[in-house]
Amino acid sequence: MGQGVAERLTGKPIREWVFQGIDGGMNLAALAKDELTENLDSVVESLEEFASCAVEAVLQTSRDEIRQLNLDDKYIYDLENAQCRLFSGLIRDADIKGVGFGSCDEFPLQRQDFPARSVGPKEGKRDEDIPDWRVAILDCVITSPNFKRDKQKSIKWKAEIHRSRSLYFEIHDERFWQRITKREFGFTESTQLTVQLATRYVENKPKDYRVIRVLSVDGERIAQPLTDDAISAIIGQFSWGQESYLQDDLFR
């Protein structure tokens, strides 16, 4: 989000949220120095507070306010869809009379406020514009790793699956990359990964492969599978597929 959007949602730009978590009134130049390390936890806490305030603002604000944000239509759609899903669920429970987002027993939005926020995203968004993601868990043998994270768009990870069929993908797993940076894994020509793989389809053809969680390396479990909610937070709407659905896709 741009600075203006952040300020509109939370009352102050992201820069101020960062400095709120830094002790001693440090300046921007200090952000690149080692002395920031001791302040990192407080910076993270401050940014977590920013994220919480932004989510709270988006979920409870009016649709007019959301549409006035200086964002691409795709992001406006995502914000409206998130609000719609929440308030549609609240409407279905007749016992819920109001909702609030703070730690106090205050409920600024009453039941009469729910319908306007439960309306689906604005018209004009076509179904084909909504990414079609399918997620599966599969085993693969890495034949060509790429340890340069910022080069993944041009140089994919290469793996072998399903009897010597090759698969090219990016890895979007922050914890895995942190461990790669620390050199915790020794990759060989036969290193095997178990992963949660998200495949994006366009006109029912696979166009993009992304590993969203690395579950094990050479049989050693390093992470638990992401939940449906966590997956949705990363890629949005998706469906579950079986490992076998990739077999024909690789030849399309």
Side-chain angles (χ1 to χ4, degrees), residues 22-53:
I22 297 177
D23 295 329
M26 299 171 66
N27 56 35
L28 279 175
L31 292 177
K33 297 182 180 180
D34 291 340
E35 59 257 34
L36 177 62
T37 302
E38 62 186 30
N39 298 282
L40 188 56
D41 288 342
S42 57
V43 172
V44 170
E45 290 178 1
S46 186
L47 290 178
E48 287 175 347
E49 184 182 351
F50 157 72
S52 177
C53 289

Side-chain angles (χ1 to χ4, degrees), residues 175-193:
R175 293 180 181 177
F176 179 73
W177 279 109
Q178 290 175 358
R179 299 184 70 168
I180 286 288
T181 302
K182 296 177 182 177
R183 302 180 184 274
E184 294 187 18
F185 308 118
F187 277 79
T188 68
E189 293 180 355
S190 60
T191 296
Q192 179 173 309
L193 301 184

Side-chain angles (χ1 to χ4, degrees), residues 91-244:
I91 286 176
R92 288 194 293 269
D93 190 335
D95 292 332
I96 298 178
K97 307 302 181 184
V99 63
F101 298 90
S103 58
C104 302
D105 292 334
E106 298 178 355
F107 309 98
L109 295 179
Q110 296 299 303
R111 196 164 184 84
Q112 63 266 22
D113 300 313
F114 294 176
R117 292 166 173 78
S118 67
V119 176
K122 63 180 181 179
E123 296 180 2
K125 187 72 177 183
R126 301 170 300 173
D127 289 343
E128 56 265 34
D129 293 331
I130 303 174
D132 177 12
W133 288 98
R134 305 176 196 178
V135 177
I137 294 177
L138 81 157
D139 298 321
C140 60
V141 176
I142 302 300
T143 56
S144 180
N146 173 22
F147 300 122
K148 297 182 179 180
R149 186 176 183 178
D150 59 344
K151 301 294 185 181
Q152 289 193 103
K153 291 294 183 184
S154 56
I155 306 174
K156 311 289 187 183
W157 287 66
K158 182 182 179 182
E160 185 178 283
I161 63 171
H162 301 307
R163 299 177 182 177
S164 301
R165 298 181 182 179
S166 295
L167 177 69
Y168 297 85
F169 56 82
E170 299 175 26
I171 295 182
H172 294 246
D173 182 341
E174 183 64 34
R175 293 180 181 177
F176 179 73
W177 279 109
Q178 290 175 358
R179 299 184 70 168
I180 286 288
T181 302
K182 296 177 182 177
R183 302 180 184 274
E184 294 187 18
F185 308 118
F187 277 79
T188 68
E189 293 180 355
S190 60
T191 296
Q192 179 173 309
L193 301 184
T194 301
V195 302
Q196 273 182 303
L197 181 74
T199 306
R200 183 173 66 90
Y201 285 75
V202 176
E203 296 181 352
N204 208 35
K205 294 182 179 180
K207 295 295 184 182
D208 187 11
Y209 296 100
R210 298 183 189 178
V211 168
I212 55 177
R213 177 60 60 93
V214 178
L215 304 177
S216 68
V217 179
D218 285 333
E220 178 186 351
R221 174 71 70 173
I222 64 171
Q224 295 298 319
L226 293 169
T227 64
D228 287 4
D229 287 342
I231 294 173
S232 295
I234 296 172
I235 60 175
Q237 181 178 323
F238 77 98
S239 61
W240 279 101
Q242 299 296 323
E243 181 178 341
S244 57

